[in-house]
Amino acid sequence: MASPPSMSHPETIYPAPASYERAQAALAALDTARESLRSSEYSEADQRTALCWLANELGTTRPERGTLAAIRAVLEKLDRPDVFRRDQDAWEAHGAKPRSFKSWKSKIHGLLLTDAVDQLEDDAFLEFTAFSSLSPEVNCFARAESLAAPTAEPPRRSADSDLSSASATAAATAAS
């Protein structure tokens, strides 16, 4: 079993400056790409240059047309969720392949999440992680009150009752 990192070697806990600088460069490229797509001041060539820069910062040495279409689709989905309600709407509108779209969505969202975590102060981050570890895991987006245990026992049908009496019992229970 691996031992936890020691405080005498902080580089094992905190990212190396080179990776921090890479993340900052990627965030700058992301901001530039998003701005180029939002503003009408940028030409198609400027937008392509900004998208290529972002692709390069996220690890692609020579981005191709499909890559740029997927990145554009992800950024448009981020900035215009009212237009592209589903991921499929975005990749279809930009001519990107689903697999490429999902890959770039993962990279870009990961970059945004890393930035959000970096912006949290240490106390807020510790509070968030402590709360997350204590809260029960729910694998759906249900309202909290719908997860509570039922307060009344549901009506039971006896073998000799008919459907109308069971329906009436259920309606009476629901009304109360």
Side-chain angles (χ1 to χ4, degrees):
M1 183 170 155
S3 62
S6 70
M7 291 307 288
S8 62
H9 299 288
E11 67 276 3
T12 60
I13 298 173
Y14 302 104
S19 65
Y20 177 77
E21 290 167 4
R22 267 195 312 264
Q24 293 305 309
L27 284 168
L30 177 62
D31 289 341
T32 301
R34 290 176 86 176
E35 179 60 30
S36 74
L37 295 177
R38 284 186 203 130
S39 176
S40 61
E41 296 176 17
Y42 293 90
S43 68
E44 188 68 31
D46 291 337
Q47 291 176 354
R48 181 177 164 75
T49 301
L51 294 172
C52 284
W53 181 33
L54 176 59
N56 287 329
E57 290 298 331
L58 292 176
T60 300
T61 55
R62 199 176 132 211
E64 297 178 3
R65 185 178 308 158
T67 298
L68 299 179
I71 293 172
R72 180 185 295 264
V74 170
L75 297 181
E76 291 281 351
K77 172 90 167 74
L78 278 173
D79 290 338
R80 299 170 53 200
D82 54 323
V83 175
F84 304 107
R85 297 194 187 278
R86 302 175 306 151
D87 289 350
Q88 185 176 356
D89 297 338
W91 78 60
E92 285 177 349
H94 292 89
K97 296 201 187 285
R99 184 175 180 149
S100 181
F101 176 89
K102 291 173 186 176
S103 173
W104 283 102
K105 179 182 175 184
S106 174
K107 290 177 185 181
I108 291 170
H109 282 215
L111 179 62
L112 291 171
L113 181 61
T114 300
D115 183 46
V117 169
D118 286 346
Q119 289 181 14
L120 287 176
E121 294 181 11
D122 289 339
D123 292 340
F125 181 70
L126 292 174
E127 181 180 331
F128 171 75
T129 55
F131 178 76
S132 296
S133 66
L134 294 176
S135 63
E137 185 176 327
V138 178
N139 291 324
C140 65
F141 294 106
R143 295 180 60 146
E145 54 270 10
S146 69
L147 298 175
T151 55
E153 190 173 321
R156 292 190 177 146
R157 271 184 64 198
S158 62
D160 57 335
S161 68
D162 62 0
L163 290 176
S164 62
S165 65
S167 297
T169 306
T173 304
S176 60

